[in-house]
Amino acid sequence: MDYRTIVGQGPALSQVNADALLVVVTPELSATGAPELDALLKDAIAKADFALKAGRTLYVHRPQGVKAPRVVLSAAANGSPKGFRAAVAKGLAQLKDLGAAHVAVLTADGFALAVEHAQALVLAAADGTYVFRETKPSAPKPGALDKVTLVSTAEQNAAVKAGLAQGQAVAEGVTLARELGNLPGNYCTPTHLANQAKQLAKTYKHIKAEVLDRPALEKLKMGSFLSVTNGSAQPPKFIILRYEGASSKQAPVVLVGKGITFDTGGISLKPGAGMDEMKFDMGGAASVLGTFQAVAELKPKINLIGLIPTCENMPSGTATKPGDVVTSMSGQTIEVLNTDAEGRLILCDALTYAERFKPAAVIDIATLTGACVIALGHQHSGLFSADDALAQALLDAGTQTQDTAWRMPLDEEYGESLKSNFADLGNVGGREGGAITAAVFLSKFTKAYRWAHLDIAGSAWKSGGAKGGTGRPVSLLTQFVLNQAAAGADAIAPSKPATPRKAPGGKV
Ligand code: BES
Ligand code: MN
Ligand code: ZN
């Protein structure tokens, strides 16, 4: 897809050269300044064929005095990037099965287009034209659309241009994550994920990839991670990605992604209905790979490490049994009370491994708990962190890219239920607050650095008719990394203590 911007305003808007015009209006801003388009808008509203209400669209064929042969009117709730994205998505859906190859998107006069709007447009277009073909070659080809032009004012033009470029890089990362999520378990094995990482390293000179096999993991004493792979015929892999965009002295941000390529539950076997969806259980890993791709395209001045523990969770005669006690790399022993709580078992060793990078911050991303889907649905990712500044930075990055997260509690008290008579920790608490106890379990392995956890069990994929991966939270993570790079060392600096600390001499 080709994305461009041109400058245009007022009467010139009805003469824009494209196969279709997509006109985005809001309840406050409903005139474009082009008489032909404004007459059309006014008439359509007067005749109740169109309303200035979010979600409403109207297709018009060969309207009078407009150069483009097709016009779609689309109403946004307001001028926010979120509203704009939804209106663009709706408008493009109207054009989907039509012959338009080049769509020009224009906004009502006074609409304040910024970087975020341009990025939102690219993500909406990429989302609307994505088709999974890898194991279904007969899937309908994406429509005719191959070029989108966003019309801006001279003042907005530079920001729009930057937003389109950033959006394109992010959209490619989102698509990679989505594609990997959709790929079935017999294609997307731990070895396949490792090959994807190596491919990224081959394509981008700023990325390096290293893959550790079982003997290296045994040497590292990753007993918790290895206990999950016991029942599987597929070899486990531990992927280490490095993006070097700043001086080697600068502490890196570390992203850790859960890479269970299929989660049967193990001996604590899941029910059969809907179990196919557990091929998405490597969504965290996919989001790390997608973010590395986007970051390598955008080249921010930052150091980034990606860690992906990846294996299958299978039942067999060699599988870990409920009650088995394993020793994690941290030295803490864990009683595996439920083999279906395997995500935390592979993540805890990766989180311990992360210490060696002396990270500025560590963020793990995991389809960790069904409880998180019950709590938040598919709208927001669950965000857990004891670090207010880091949490806020992640929430902000999510809002900026409409890839939102919602902060959840992380009180120590929730950890009571993780006590075990036979090990330092049990791997499950009760059913209640399940997403939180999972996060508290992980927190026991993150004492050496600033840490946040994203539970993406709901946000990384959709169920029902539109079943499939979403590529989330690549947008959030990439924006977070870009914001960190732009702000330098201050980006997520801890907030200043409320009371001044005593100086060594006793003076305040
Ligand atoms: N991969 C699942 C979590 C999941 C469930 C993701 C539904 C997406 C949709 C995870 O490994 C799991 O099985 N968690 C258990 C934990 C329980 C045994 C404490 C769960 O959520 O039921
Ligand atoms: Mn599980
Ligand atoms: Zn799982």
Side-chain angles (χ1 to χ4, degrees):
M1 190 84 66
D2 190 4
Y3 297 95
R4 298 170 183 219
T5 172
I6 55 168
V7 171
Q9 236 178 325
L13 292 178
S14 52
Q15 300 314 310
V16 167
N17 201 1
D19 299 327
L21 296 187
L22 168 48
V23 184
V24 177
V25 291
T26 71
E28 287 77 34
L29 305 169
S30 59
T32 63
E36 300 82 357
L37 291 170
D38 290 345
L40 177 65
L41 270 160
K42 230 177 163 174
D43 189 59
I45 294 168
K47 304 273 163 40
D49 292 326
F50 182 62
L52 298 170
K53 277 191 194 141
R56 295 291 299 268
T57 59
L58 180 69
Y59 177 78
V60 191
H61 202 65
R62 293 206 176 277
Q64 278 276 311
V66 179
K67 188 161 189 189
R70 305 168 187 87
V71 169
V72 175
L73 308 177
S74 186
N78 51 50
S80 69
K82 183 181 174 184
F84 181 65
R85 179 169 175 166
V88 168
K90 267 267 179 180
L92 290 178
Q94 280 274 321
L95 290 164
K96 197 172 172 135
D97 295 323
L98 309 185
H102 175 203
V103 175
V105 178
L106 49 99
T107 49
D109 192 28
F111 195 104
L113 280 177
V115 178
E116 286 86 356
H117 294 85
Q119 175 163 329
L121 169 118
V122 177
L123 286 160
D127 186 47
T129 51
Y130 173 83
V131 183
F132 180 74
R133 312 183 64 84
E134 194 71 28
T135 54
K136 188 177 176 181
S138 66
K141 294 224 157 59
L145 184 65
D146 65 10
K147 183 172 167 187
V148 181
T149 300
L150 180 51
V151 183
S152 63
T153 66
E155 298 76 48
Q156 296 163 347
N157 199 250
V160 166
K161 212 170 197 170
L164 292 177
Q166 185 173 319
Q168 251 176 302
V170 174
E172 278 172 33
V174 169
T175 302
L176 172 64
R178 204 167 171 186
E179 193 75 3
L180 287 170
N182 287 334
L183 210 55
N186 60 329
Y187 285 70
C188 186
T189 58
T191 306
H192 182 76
L193 288 181
N195 290 340
Q196 287 290 314
K198 288 179 191 161
Q199 190 57 48
L200 282 178
K202 238 189 217 164
T203 310
Y204 298 101
K205 73 172 200 286
H206 291 292
I207 294 186
K208 293 196 177 84
E210 185 186 349
V211 178
L212 306 183
D213 292 307
R214 179 179 271 280
L217 305 178
E218 283 167 357
K219 219 167 150 193
L220 285 164
K221 296 191 163 39
M222 289 195 178
S224 184
F225 172 28
L226 287 171
S227 76
V228 176
T229 190
N230 280 348
S232 170
Q234 290 290 341
K237 304 280 171 187
F238 190 89
I239 303 167
I240 303 156
L241 284 160
R242 291 163 206 266
Y243 164 80
E244 287 156 0
S247 138
S248 59
K249 284 189 208 102
Q250 195 170 315
V253 168
V254 179
L255 303 178
V256 181
K258 172 178 172 182
I260 295 290
T261 58
F262 198 82
D263 181 12
T264 65
I267 297 297
S268 313
L269 194 64
K270 284 181 183 293
M275 203 205 273
D276 61 289
E277 292 175 354
M278 283 302 118
K279 71 174 182 178
F280 297 119
D281 212 16
M282 31 53 70
S287 74
V288 172
L289 290 164
T291 301
F292 266 76
Q293 155 137 11
V295 166
E297 286 280 346
L298 294 166
K299 304 186 190 72
K301 291 192 172 62
I302 195 168
N303 293 323
L304 194 63
I305 302 283
L307 302 177
I308 299 174
T310 170
C311 68
E312 284 181 340
N313 186 22
M314 298 290 281
S316 94
T318 58
T320 297
K321 304 168 290 297
D324 284 2
V325 174
V326 300
T327 305
S328 66
M329 185 180 174
S330 73
Q332 296 176 89
T333 57
I334 303 163
E335 185 183 10
V336 183
L337 290 160
N338 188 324
T339 64
D340 197 11
E342 84 299 338
R344 60 198 81 179
L345 294 177
I346 71 168
L347 289 170
C348 69
D349 281 344
L351 289 168
T352 301
Y353 188 84
E355 287 178 15
R356 68 187 53 203
F357 300 103
K358 299 192 172 50
V362 177
I363 299 145
D364 79 73
I365 309 102
T367 47
L368 201 62
T369 64
C372 192
V373 190
I374 300 298
L376 297 175
H378 295 272
Q379 199 66 30
H380 301 292
S381 301
L383 167 66
F384 302 78
S385 181
D387 187 316
D388 289 341
L390 178 57
Q392 195 56 49
L394 287 161
L395 291 173
D396 290 345
T399 307
Q400 242 178 303
T401 53
Q402 303 91 49
D403 183 2
T404 51
W406 195 265
R407 193 162 177 195
M408 302 276 282
L410 192 69
D411 308 58
E412 274 291 325
E413 286 79 357
Y414 285 98
E416 283 297 314
S417 58
L418 293 169
K419 285 194 171 138
S420 158
N421 287 352
F422 306 106
D424 294 328
L425 279 170
N427 78 328
V428 290
R431 271 165 51 81
E432 296 167 350
I436 311 167
T437 47
V440 171
F441 178 94
L442 294 178
S443 75
K444 310 275 182 202
F445 300 85
T446 61
K447 301 296 179 209
Y449 45 69
R450 308 177 66 186
W451 164 75
H453 158 61
L454 285 166
D455 193 332
I456 58 165
S459 58
W461 61 283
K462 290 184 191 136
S463 55
K467 188 192 290 194
T470 60
R472 291 179 65 186
V474 169
S475 307
L476 179 159
L477 292 170
T478 307
Q479 190 67 53
F480 171 79
V481 169
L482 294 177
N483 292 350
Q484 293 308 303
D490 302 331
I492 48 163
S495 36
K496 296 229 160 53
T499 47
R501 267 180 297 212
K502 267 193 175 169
K507 283 184 209 133
V508 174

